Amino acid sequence: LVASIAASSKSVGGGGGSGGDQSVTAQARMAGAAISCLVAAVERGDNNEYDGYNTNTETGEEDGTETRQFASRVLASLLQLNIPTLGKECRPAYARCLVSCCCALIASTADGVADPASAAVATKLLPLTASTLVELSDRDAGVADATCAELGRWVRTCLAVVSSSVPADDAATKSVSGCIEGLNKLMHHRFRHNWEISLPVLAGAVVVVAERHGDALEDEDGFATTIEMIGPSVKGLVRLRTDVNDGGSRHAVENAVSIVVAGVGMEAFLGVVSLEEGDGKIDKKKQKQLVGAIHPDRTWLLPVLKSASASGSAHHRPKLAFFQGKILALARKCDAASAASSLTAAEAAVQRTRVIELWSLLPAFCGNPADVEITFPTLSQTLVKAVGDKRYPELVNIIPSSLKILAAGIRERFEASKGDRATAKDYEVVSQASVKLLPGFFKLTETLHGTNTASEATTKRKDSDMDVEDDAAAIDEKADGMSSQDAQRVQAVTDATGELARICPRPFLQNLFKKVMQRLLVATQSEADESGKICTLLGLAQALVSSEALDENSISLLYRAIRPLIRSDEHDSRVQKRAYKVLSEICEKNSSFVTSAEHLGDFTELIIGSIMTCQVSSRHMRLKCMVHIVKAFDSSNEQHMAVLPKIMGEVLLCLKDSNGK
């Protein structure tokens, strides 16, 4: 079969003259049929060795030796063929045959079968196989698709297994280095028309090599070996983005870089690529941009790092120390550069944008970090100061959102762990840090609400405004951009407050809640218009209720405080709506409190008796309160069932308001 393929390939390469086209087609079909036969033989033998077909007649045990020997001969023979002479009809089958042969040989290593000879052959031929598969993709688009698909299969199966022996096995290390070197050819411009499908294969190979090192990235020697192996590929991809100027090619390169960052982690990636260094000389137009910490050739990496790190690397836990020592150091340089007198206002704004882009990487480091106990106590102090920096109001979104991710992850792991010391220590550290974070967040929320409610024209709502689902971040269409941004920041802070409240010390939380309630009572009894302040305090109370950390006495106190706000329409409509939001949160998170025999009657009377003072904009939250209560009802409880006819009219009224739009 191999001889037939070789002969057919030569005929295909030299066909011509009278009837040449028909002869070439026939010979190509013959070569393709021969390759298909080899593929079938190799794959059938590889599968049958687990089904009892390849059984040693002397021992009666399953033995895949014949299959591996056959695959070894086929692989060595096919790699000797002249690739350019292969017709495009043969190339996909040829690529599949090479990969199947490698898989048959590698299976002995992956499944723990003692076959050193097959493993040695596979390890030795992998670099040549990689180069051959790469060359096969430099042709017709349809052929490139099929070839890259096989190349991807080869990376996931063969390269992954051999990489697991690096750096302990010298032969494997040499083989993997050769494979990566061969795959780097995909970055050549002659493959440019296929970069959309070929560069992800290269990126996948880089990730596989880094992943198969296991914990090698955790020690200096292993990190150095990994960087030496994948460094040229990563740097090549980054340089390639600078070299190309068309949108399609840049998108393909950015996608490949994103795959690498998501697979190896931001820390390993930035260990290879420096944000402060470019690719060489830059033109005069960019010369003025050489200020701050981020080189002009590297600015495109910041959004890529942010998007790629959103999910986090599954194999390498991030380190807060890296963010604190490396990322924040770059942000400080950019901040210092923005204050330089030599810069124009536009250039200074660019540097401030770089500061925000660097800070926006913080959420990626808060998903299951490895050094909470060591780093977070000092980092939290920096976060408290930064979130109050009026020069960068965008940090009010970034920092609380990051802390919410951190607190939620630690709480979930703590609840799932069974006496794990490291998890318990992380929980304790964040719990103690929340004592300093929560008061700062409370003050920040008041400041944001004060800014947001300064203009009556943009924040007060008319009773006719039918705002069906108004979260703190949802602002009336008439509101200006600043008001909308402030409301989004308030939402981010209150969400983080609710999550931190779940893990903070209970005595501290109760004291904090009492202070909120005292200020709420003072504000509601004030003769001046304190609508903005009341809304702020109700928002904080809602966040604490959502944490499910308040005891029944605190819930009862809060219920008594909001009841007059629900009954009355003397305050701004926003106050009543916010009070209904708090009540809805109580009904959802503490349904047993409202449905208890002690409070159910009072709650029913509150809902029915306040219909005449209910603002139109509050109807939706009012309906949500009833939904949560009905869901919590026990059908066998007569007291619960007696409430349904009483609130049925309320449900109908909530659904019959006219649509103001």
Side-chain angles (χ1 to χ4, degrees):
L1 287 174
V2 172
S4 174
I5 296 170
S8 301
S9 300
K10 291 179 181 179
S11 299
V12 171
S18 177
D21 292 342
Q22 296 181 358
S23 176
V24 168
T25 302
Q27 295 293 347
R29 289 176 179 173
M30 183 180 298
I35 295 174
S36 298
C37 291
L38 290 175
V39 172
V42 172
E43 293 183 350
R44 179 176 177 80
D46 191 27
N47 292 331
N48 285 346
E49 71 176 75
Y50 301 105
D51 297 331
Y53 286 89
N54 294 338
T55 303
N56 190 307
T57 56
E58 295 181 1
T59 64
E61 297 178 353
E62 295 180 6
D63 186 6
T65 302
E66 293 184 2
T67 299
R68 292 191 290 273
Q69 290 177 350
F70 176 70
S72 177
R73 292 196 300 271
V74 172
L75 179 61
S77 301
L78 291 182
L79 289 174
Q80 296 177 17
L81 295 179
N82 187 12
I83 297 177
T85 62
L86 286 174
K88 67 178 183 179
E89 298 87 353
C90 308
R91 289 171 179 261
Y94 180 73
R96 180 177 177 180
C97 191
L98 291 178
V99 176
S100 296
C101 289
C102 288
C103 289
L105 295 173
I106 291 297
S108 63
T109 302
D111 299 322
V113 180
D115 191 353
S118 296
V121 170
T123 302
K124 184 177 181 180
L125 294 180
L126 278 185
L128 181 58
T129 303
S131 298
T132 303
L133 291 171
V134 168
E135 294 299 326
L136 286 173
S137 64
D138 182 26
R139 294 292 172 180
D140 182 81
V143 174
D145 288 345
T147 303
C148 286
E150 291 299 327
L151 187 57
R153 181 164 72 99
W154 176 85
V155 168
R156 294 188 300 271
T157 55
C158 306
L159 183 62
V161 174
V162 177
S163 297
S164 62
S165 300
V166 176
D169 189 338
D170 293 338
T173 303
K174 182 178 179 180
S175 176
V176 172
S177 298
C179 291
I180 295 296
E181 184 177 351
L183 293 174
N184 284 343
K185 296 178 183 178
L186 291 171
M187 291 186 286
H188 292 179
H189 283 262
R190 62 191 177 98
F191 296 98
R192 190 169 185 165
H193 60 290
N194 293 325
W195 275 351
E196 199 68 37
I197 57 174
S198 61
L199 289 184
V201 176
L202 173 60
V206 171
V207 173
V208 162
V209 172
E211 287 177 353
R212 290 293 169 163
H213 282 172
D215 297 329
L217 294 179
E218 302 299 328
D219 61 87
E220 295 183 2
D221 294 338
F223 185 81
T225 303
T226 304
I227 296 306
E228 182 180 358
M229 195 167 292
I230 68 175
S233 303
V234 178
K235 292 180 179 178
L237 285 171
V238 174
R239 282 196 301 268
L240 192 61
R241 169 59 172 73
T242 306
D243 294 340
V244 298
N245 52 17
D246 63 290
S249 298
R250 287 187 170 183
H251 179 269
V253 175
E254 290 175 4
N255 181 47
V257 172
S258 179
I259 294 173
V260 173
V261 175
V264 306
M266 193 186 307
E267 183 175 351
F269 179 83
L270 293 180
V272 178
V273 178
S274 173
L275 294 175
E276 300 180 82
E277 299 176 1
D279 299 319
K281 296 181 180 180
I282 63 174
D283 54 34
K284 294 182 179 180
K285 293 182 179 180
K286 292 185 178 180
Q287 193 68 34
K288 291 185 177 181
Q289 301 178 21
L290 288 176
V291 293
I294 310 300
H295 194 279
D297 291 341
R298 296 290 181 263
T299 56
W300 65 272
L301 275 174
L302 295 177
V304 172
L305 290 172
K306 178 182 177 181
S307 61
S309 303
S311 58
S313 173
H315 299 272
H316 310 291
R317 296 174 63 184
K319 292 182 178 179
L320 293 172
F322 184 82
F323 177 83
Q324 185 180 34
K326 181 68 176 179
I327 305 300
L328 285 188
L330 296 176
R332 291 188 182 99
K333 290 182 180 179
C334 292
D335 178 53
S338 68
S341 58
S342 59
L343 297 185
T344 64
E347 292 169 345
V350 169
Q351 294 303 315
R352 287 193 292 271
T353 301
R354 298 285 177 266
V355 174
I356 298 302
E357 289 177 328
L358 289 166
W359 268 100
S360 65
L361 302 179
L362 177 59
F365 290 88
C366 291
N368 194 19
D371 57 344
V372 173
E373 180 182 353
I374 299 174
T375 308
F376 189 70
T378 56
L379 179 61
S380 62
Q381 299 175 13
T382 303
L383 299 181
V384 170
K385 295 178 181 178
V387 79
D389 193 337
K390 296 181 179 180
R391 298 174 302 161
Y392 300 102
E394 297 87 350
L395 296 181
V396 180
N397 272 335
I398 297 171
I399 294 177
S401 299
S402 303
L403 290 173
K404 178 185 175 183
I405 295 173
L406 178 67
I410 289 179
R411 177 180 55 79
E412 292 171 359
R413 290 189 294 273
F414 178 75
E415 292 173 354
S417 66
K418 298 180 179 179
D420 182 70
R421 181 199 168 278
T423 304
K425 190 62 179 178
D426 289 349
Y427 184 92
E428 180 182 352
V429 168
V430 178
S431 177
Q432 293 300 323
S434 66
V435 174
K436 296 182 179 179
L437 291 170
L438 283 174
F441 281 1
F442 275 39
K443 293 179 181 179
L444 181 61
T445 305
E446 292 181 355
T447 302
L448 293 172
H449 263 296
T451 303
N452 192 34
T453 57
S455 175
E456 295 294 330
T458 59
T459 58
K460 282 193 175 181
R461 303 184 185 280
K462 299 178 181 179
D463 292 345
S464 60
D465 290 342
M466 190 62 183
D467 187 7
V468 176
E469 181 79 34
D470 176 31
D471 292 331
I475 299 298
D476 190 83
E477 294 179 356
K478 299 179 182 179
D480 57 20
M482 180 61 70
S483 296
S484 177
Q485 292 174 359
D486 284 340
Q488 293 174 4
R489 292 162 189 159
V490 168
Q491 183 66 38
V493 175
T494 52
D495 288 347
T497 299
E499 196 59 54
L500 287 171
R502 294 189 176 193
I503 63 176
C504 77
R506 290 296 175 265
F508 172 78
L509 180 63
Q510 297 299 333
N511 291 333
L512 201 61
F513 175 76
K514 290 179 181 179
K515 292 180 181 179
V516 171
M517 296 309 301
Q518 290 173 358
R519 300 182 66 178
L520 177 61
L521 293 175
V522 172
T524 55
Q525 296 173 6
S526 173
E527 296 182 358
D529 185 6
E530 298 281 0
S531 298
K533 186 174 183 179
I534 294 173
C535 288
T536 300
L537 296 170
L538 288 175
L540 294 174
Q542 180 185 352
L544 296 179
V545 173
S546 67
S547 70
E548 302 181 58
L550 298 177
D551 56 24
E552 185 174 346
N553 292 333
S554 298
I555 296 296
S556 178
L557 176 61
L558 178 59
Y559 176 72
R560 294 196 302 271
I562 64 173
R563 189 167 52 184
L565 301 178
I566 292 175
R567 288 181 178 275
S568 173
D569 57 357
E570 296 178 357
H571 295 283
D572 188 272
S573 60
R574 294 170 299 142
V575 173
Q576 187 184 80
K577 187 172 185 179
R578 179 66 68 176
Y580 270 110
K581 279 189 173 185
V582 177
L583 182 61
S584 174
E585 201 73 37
I586 293 175
C587 294
E588 181 181 5
K589 304 297 185 181
N590 301 86
S591 58
S592 59
F593 171 82
V594 182
T595 58
S596 64
E598 180 182 355
H599 299 103
L600 182 58
D602 183 71
F603 173 80
T604 306
E605 190 275 331
L606 175 63
I607 292 294
I608 297 175
S610 59
I611 183 60
M612 299 303 296
T613 57
C614 181
Q615 304 283 351
V616 174
S617 59
S618 302
R619 293 280 177 84
H620 177 68
M621 298 310 301
R622 180 183 176 91
L623 181 60
K624 288 186 69 174
C625 293
M626 290 183 279
V627 169
H628 293 315
I629 291 302
V630 171
K631 285 183 178 180
F633 277 169
D634 182 2
S635 58
S636 62
N637 189 312
E638 295 182 0
Q639 185 182 10
H640 289 181
M641 294 299 99
V643 176
L644 294 179
K646 297 179 181 179
I647 65 174
M648 183 59 67
E650 293 296 316
V651 175
L652 295 177
L653 286 175
C654 288
L655 297 177
K656 289 189 66 67
D657 286 313
S658 61
N659 191 334
K661 297 182 181 179

